[in-house]
Amino acid sequence: MMTVRVLLFASYADAIGAPEVALDLPAGARVRDVLSRIKTMAAGKRIPDKPMVAVNQRYASDDQPVGASDEVAIIPPVAGG
């Protein structure tokens, strides 16, 4: 197991009730595993399906591995007008 720091923004922070969480994940976890855990923690609250994700301040795909010292940021889509 490893602990990953996850930063949450806007609707994700609102759904979880905190701007940051520490997740315990198995070794070999990927971004998609982080997203799955956050969706479970949101417990049915409405959050965007496809957020942007950054690992260590670089945009990441769902398949990117995460490590124990990584910082994962979950950023909901932004609409402008």
Side-chain angles (χ1 to χ4, degrees), residues 48-62:
D49 286 333
K50 298 187 184 221
M52 294 180 11
V53 177
V55 176
N56 299 324
Q57 300 180 2
R58 292 182 177 254
Y59 289 114
S61 69
D62 287 351

Side-chain angles (χ1 to χ4, degrees), residues 15-32:
I16 302 299
E20 180 179 326
V21 294
L23 295 182
D24 290 326
L25 298 167
R30 298 185 178 278
V31 166
R32 69 175 159 257

Side-chain angles (χ1 to χ4, degrees), residues 35-57:
L35 291 173
S36 177
R37 183 73 65 84
I38 292 298
K39 287 178 184 179
T40 299
M41 290 174 67
K45 294 180 182 164
R46 191 165 174 89
I47 55 175
D49 286 333
K50 298 187 184 221
M52 294 180 11
V53 177
V55 176
N56 299 324
Q57 300 180 2

